[in-house]
Amino acid sequence: MSLPLKGLSAVVTGAGRGLGRAEALELARLGAAVVVNDYGQPGRDGTGEASAAPAEAVAAEIRAAGGRAVAHTGDVADFAQAGELVEAAVGEFGRLDVLVNNAGILRDRMVFSMSEQEWDSVVRVHLKGHFNTTRFAAAHWRARSKAANGPVYGRIVNTSSEAFLAGSAGQPNYAAAKGGIVGLTTSTALALAKYGVTANAICPRARTRMTQDVFAGFEQPDEGLDPLAPEHVAPLVGYLASPAAARVNGQLLVVHGGMVAIVERPTVGARFDTEQDVFTYDELDALLTPHYAQRPTGETFAAAEVLGLRHDPTPADR
């Protein structure tokens, strides 16, 4: 079996369940030593018996399969604890090579009824959580690069969402946080390229505990793997973490159900120049009003068509 990540170490946040768990298992399967992060303590299972923290359960699963893994139960949205997470990887495995940011929560509500706490908590976990771990990982790679007087190995895989691309009406906090993550990713990609580090973002569609209500209307097949299973997403994360993806940087990819779609950067759809020193209201009215009158009603910057992407077993470019 190919082990493209052999000798590398990785951190996966939100890896106690669902998508993060599948990603941690995949990285371990490809040879990486993994710090499994998930915010939570030991509890009770369905029988009332004591159960391990989700992060430790996944780390134990990796070790049982012959891999190397440790658990970390800190809160990545806490700046200091995120730093401790990166330090845990360096202390346990000697260095950090791969950072997969996956941790997140949902607090869905229409914008006119959303509370301040619902907004703050989602932005805190998703966007600030991504920044916190990225900040400490970036400092680690920069220091190593300076010590080596050249580039080092570093990979960041961030988790955005189709909610950002399509403009999910009932998730203004989540869509905003996921859009911010794309901005963080492209900025980080440019800042760290000279150190040998890449940063990319994925928009996964997966049935997990967090999204069970979102995908409640999507039926699971009687046979075969669920098209919304996290296992459809994990291989792309493994690839982006690998040496083979050295030229993939600052990219956004949609992935689910046997399909990967590369999202191109925005393009300029139209341009208008003033015939004077500065635009006036009347001039803008004369230019922009007819332009938008010819556009489809309801069309916005959101790319709702991504929601229609499905796996095609016989794509035309094959």
Side-chain angles (χ1 to χ4, degrees), residues 111-316:
V111 69
F112 43 76
S113 56
M114 178 164 288
S115 70
E116 181 181 19
Q117 192 277 332
E118 288 167 336
W119 173 273
D120 287 349
S121 62
V122 168
V123 172
R124 176 182 180 273
V125 175
H126 287 275
L127 185 52
K128 187 181 179 186
H130 272 62
F131 160 72
N132 285 345
T133 54
T134 297
R135 186 264 182 227
F136 288 105
H140 168 70
W141 287 319
R142 180 174 180 269
R144 279 177 50 199
S145 177
K146 287 184 175 295
N149 196 30
V152 296
Y153 191 99
R155 299 284 189 270
I156 299 173
V157 182
N158 288 333
T159 306
S160 183
S161 170
E162 292 170 297
F164 148 68
L165 288 170
S168 181
Q171 298 179 303
N173 48 2
Y174 184 69
K178 290 305 191 181
I181 286 168
V182 174
L184 172 64
T185 302
T186 54
S187 174
T188 302
L190 292 173
L192 301 186
K194 65 182 179 181
Y195 302 120
V197 179
T198 67
N200 295 286
I202 62 171
C203 293
R205 192 184 301 179
R207 196 190 309 273
T208 67
R209 188 177 66 162
M210 188 181 82
T211 62
Q212 59 186 353
D213 293 334
V214 176
F215 295 125
F218 289 71
E219 295 184 4
Q220 299 189 44
D222 295 330
E223 298 181 359
L225 188 64
D226 181 358
L228 293 176
E231 287 75 15
H232 287 295
V233 176
L236 176 61
V237 173
Y239 167 75
L240 293 173
S242 76
R247 289 180 56 85
V248 185
N249 193 29
Q251 301 298 306
L252 179 64
L253 303 98
V254 176
V255 54
H256 57 80
M259 182 216 71
V260 173
I262 299 171
V263 180
E264 288 290 353
R265 63 186 183 272
T267 60
V268 177
R271 171 180 164 169
F272 303 94
D273 295 284
T274 181
E275 295 180 356
Q276 307 166 74
D277 291 335
V278 63
F279 272 116
T280 64
Y281 168 85
D282 289 336
E283 188 180 16
L284 288 170
D285 180 25
L287 292 170
L288 297 182
T289 301
H291 172 77
Y292 281 104
Q294 298 172 16
R295 302 287 289 271
T297 301
E299 181 185 78
T300 72
F301 185 78
E305 61 270 19
V306 299
L307 299 179
L309 293 172
R310 296 290 187 275
H311 168 55
D312 180 358
T314 56

Side-chain angles (χ1 to χ4, degrees), residues 11-25 34-39 54-59 61-62 72 100 102-104:
V11 163
V12 183
T13 72
R17 303 177 179 87
L19 189 56
R21 173 183 173 273
E23 292 167 346
L25 293 176
V34 184
V35 179
V36 180
N37 165 265
D38 199 273
Y39 185 45
E56 177 53 41
V58 176
E61 188 175 355
I62 291 172
H72 182 273
V100 179
N102 168 74

Side-chain angles (χ1 to χ4, degrees), residues 67-101:
R68 300 174 65 196
V70 296
H72 182 273
T73 57
D75 178 8
V76 295
D78 180 279
F79 190 73
Q81 292 182 53
E84 292 167 2
L85 172 58
V86 172
E87 290 174 4
V90 176
E92 186 70 26
F93 303 124
R95 67 185 194 189
L96 174 64
D97 300 294
V98 178
L99 171 63
V100 179
N101 283 310

